[in-house]
Amino acid sequence: MSHTPGTESSAPAAASSGEREPDGPAEFVEVDTLAGRVRGRWRPTVRRAGDASGGGGAERSAAFLGIPFAEPPVGELRFAAPVPKSPWTGTLDALEFAPTAQRGDPGVTLIPEPSVPGESTLNVNVFTPSPTAPASGGSGLPVLVWIHGGGYFAGSPASPWYDGRSFNRDGVVTVTISYRLGFDGFGWIADAPSNRGVRDWLLALEWVQRNIAAFGGDPGRVTIAGQSAGGGAVLTLLGMPAAQHLFHGVYALSAALADVAPARSEAFGRALAAEAGAEPTRAGFGGLPEERVLELQKQATELGPDTLGSIIDEGLPLGPTIDGELIERPTLESLAAGVGRGIPLVLGATDDEFTMAFAEAEKKLRWVPKSLLLKKLGMPKDRLKPYLRANADVAAKGTARIGGRFLSDRMFRTAALRVVEAREAGAASASAGADASAGTWLYRFSWPSGAFGFAEHCLDVPFFFDCLDGPAMEPLAGPNPPQALADELHTAAVAFIGTGDPGWPTAHGPAPAAKVWDVPSRVQPDAYASVGPLR
């Protein structure tokens, strides 16, 4: 008998099409959550030869896929705040990924992130080496909660790259969460609650606090992490007073903060409603088919030559919005005021996040003066020459490469430095007797992809998850990416999740040191010096 994700049953269900039939009940494992019992499946965890993480490690772990933390956001709940999932009877099969908020083919992406059809899109996936509650007085294992990226309009928690197998092997319970995307998650609607996607994050993290001990995790040692929009998500949460009790460490990869201004968010929502011929209300948007809203959203956010400048200058039009309620002010202002100062943070970026934006035009751009392209991309005239001097090695590789480096610096690398500065200001503003400020650690991912020849957006993700043997790896990293680098980076991530310290010096002052992930890796003083002319 086949099973459907999210269905209840009283006996083990057969594996889905494409998987082997289970051998028997021993292949399954059941856990009681506060809403009801869930059934997961055991899998092996394979320790690679030469693994640098040390110790014996778990030989198997359990995967619980598609556990709902909220009611399906459809019908009357479509543009509402998430509603906690009501209890169920029997046992819920958690053997397959549940529906995703991402619909259809997301197009060309660097990370394989499948779309799964269906309505129950607010769910979590739990990967654990120890799916039992700790004994009385025990603390359980440290927990990683991953928030996927995708520009706040795409992405999927069902990516095989986000599987927690390697973290499980090294004693970390891993959770991936879903959230509403695009206009459904972040669009302004006159009579709807703001930041619905942010509210989904909060409810998912509340679910972790209330349930993760049943899966062997310690709710007092939760690290939230994410990449790109997911990195922006975890920094947004770090700057939210209402979220401080939900996590104890933050790891932000290539963070893309949105901090959408309320006027811009409202203008976007009204324009979308006008284009659809609907009122900008829950009833108006609720009367539109989901496909129509997605079509209008895509038209309004499509990236091209005419919109690139506004994205660089103003940021994304859909994403966490400064609503004065959940998000009281821009994230950097919150951090500088001391919000989250007691929570340790690791953040950084790849060296050439968006250089691939010019890959197809590289041959044409070699005839374009570097100064002309940089000015078109928004380079201030008085900073042009200092910037070219500071990045002479990249400029020597051509106009496309220096243009891509400038985009990467403006959108990601300078932002990381501003977060370091804001955290230092927040620590300095602490009053006498206040709790101690936690450390901030900076990194650069510099290893050049064997496919692109530079360290592009998303390249560090499979090193973080230690999944270089995963699918679709060669188009991103080329053949034979260095496993030793994945061992080292992943081990540092495990150390941070477990202890709050990744193992290199913290970032301080106007020229902070950073860990440079390359072959070999190193700690480099003033590691972001080439960004200096833009600060």
Side-chain angles (χ1 to χ4, degrees):
M1 131 180 156
S2 63
H3 78 278
T4 302
T7 58
E8 298 166 17
S9 65
S10 57
S16 62
S17 177
E19 297 184 65
R20 68 182 179 86
E21 295 291 313
D23 296 327
E27 186 170 344
F28 297 101
V29 56
E30 296 183 358
V31 165
D32 288 314
T33 73
L34 293 179
R37 177 165 283 238
V38 294
R39 177 182 294 119
R41 179 180 278 118
W42 286 108
R43 310 107 40 91
T45 58
V46 179
R47 181 170 294 281
R48 297 183 181 89
D51 190 334
S53 55
E59 294 183 357
R60 68 173 186 169
S61 63
F64 297 82
L65 307 179
I67 304 172
F69 66 83
E71 295 294 332
V74 296
E76 291 298 314
L77 296 181
R78 181 176 177 192
F79 299 112
V83 174
K85 176 66 179 174
S86 58
W88 57 83
T89 58
T91 301
L92 191 76
D93 276 335
L95 305 174
E96 295 179 345
F97 286 113
T100 60
Q102 177 176 271
R103 298 306 199 192
D105 183 357
V108 178
T109 61
L110 294 173
I111 298 176
E113 292 181 297
S115 298
V116 181
E119 294 184 343
S120 186
T121 58
L122 298 181
N123 50 76
V124 299
N125 308 301
V126 182
F127 307 90
T128 175
S130 180
T132 55
S136 178
S139 59
L141 298 172
V143 180
L144 168 67
V145 178
W146 179 261
I147 303 179
H148 71 77
Y152 301 105
F153 67 87
S156 166
S159 173
W161 289 12
Y162 305 153
D163 189 294
R165 192 185 306 263
S166 292
F167 278 110
N168 288 174
R169 177 196 65 203
D170 298 321
V172 175
V173 176
T174 305
V175 183
T176 63
I177 70 173
S178 63
Y179 57 99
R180 280 171 284 183
L181 301 171
F183 195 80
D184 274 35
F186 301 97
W188 176 91
I189 301 173
D191 55 349
S194 61
N195 285 311
R196 296 173 294 280
V198 177
R199 296 173 195 270
D200 296 342
W201 301 338
L202 293 173
L203 186 58
L205 289 171
E206 290 281 6
W207 184 94
V208 170
Q209 285 296 305
R210 290 165 58 84
N211 290 282
I212 205 62
F215 294 87
D218 182 355
R221 286 196 294 168
V222 173
T223 295
I224 57 174
Q227 183 262 350
S228 196
V234 298
L235 288 184
T236 298
L237 289 163
L238 180 62
M240 289 174 55
Q244 300 300 297
H245 64 294
L246 297 173
F247 51 89
H248 313 88
V250 176
Y251 201 122
L253 295 79
S254 303
L257 276 169
D259 283 344
V260 181
R264 188 180 188 213
S265 181
E266 181 174 345
F268 186 91
R270 290 189 180 279
L272 205 73
E275 184 68 22
E279 289 296 313
T281 61
R282 289 177 66 176
F285 281 110
L288 298 173
E290 182 185 42
E291 295 75 17
R292 178 59 175 156
V293 174
L294 288 172
E295 177 188 5
L296 292 169
Q297 172 189 303
K298 183 177 180 180
Q299 292 172 359
T301 59
E302 199 154 14
L303 190 62
D306 297 331
T307 58
L308 184 59
S310 66
I311 293 294
I312 294 172
D313 292 334
E314 301 176 47
L316 300 165
L318 285 173
T321 302
I322 303 165
D323 59 6
E325 180 188 353
L326 279 180
I327 303 175
E328 301 174 5
R329 52 193 165 185
T331 298
L332 290 178
E333 290 185 16
S334 288
L335 299 181
V339 178
R341 69 171 175 263
I343 296 174
L345 168 67
V346 174
L347 79 162
T350 67
D351 278 359
D352 290 281
E353 299 275 1
F354 273 9
T355 296
M356 59 192 175
F358 297 112
E360 293 183 3
E362 186 170 0
K363 290 183 179 178
K364 293 180 180 178
L365 286 172
R366 65 182 175 178
W367 305 112
V368 176
K370 298 176 180 66
S371 58
L372 182 62
L373 177 63
L374 292 176
K375 288 176 183 176
K376 186 175 178 62
L377 294 174
M379 172 69 77
K381 185 178 179 180
D382 62 334
R383 302 186 186 186
L384 175 60
K385 288 183 179 179
Y387 185 80
L388 287 172
R389 284 196 298 269
N391 291 274
D393 57 332
V394 180
K397 296 175 182 177
T399 300
R401 289 292 297 271
I402 193 64
R405 175 60 65 90
F406 177 62
L407 272 185
S408 303
D409 286 346
R410 283 200 68 185
M411 299 180 71
F412 293 95
R413 284 153 53 90
T414 55
L417 295 177
R418 291 191 185 107
V419 170
V420 172
E421 292 170 354
R423 292 267 291 180
E424 288 211 300
S429 68
S431 60
D435 292 338
S437 298
T440 303
W441 288 266
L442 192 61
Y443 76 84
R444 278 175 43 200
F445 191 89
S446 299
W447 177 76
S449 160
F452 287 85
F454 48 79
E456 75 273 16
H457 197 54
C458 303
L459 183 59
D460 50 350
V461 173
F463 289 82
F464 179 84
F465 277 94
D466 188 11
C467 64
L468 294 183
D469 57 346
M473 195 62 59
E474 189 163 338
L476 179 89
N480 304 315
Q483 179 61 46
L485 181 59
D487 291 341
E488 188 179 4
L489 194 159
H490 174 78
T491 297
V494 170
F496 179 74
I497 295 163
T499 69
D501 186 338
W504 66 86
T506 54
H508 293 290
K515 181 75 169 184
V516 179
W517 294 115
D518 201 346
V519 180
S521 65
R522 62 192 184 277
V523 174
Q524 181 175 320
D526 199 7
Y528 279 76
S530 63
V531 178
L534 301 182
R535 297 176 67 185

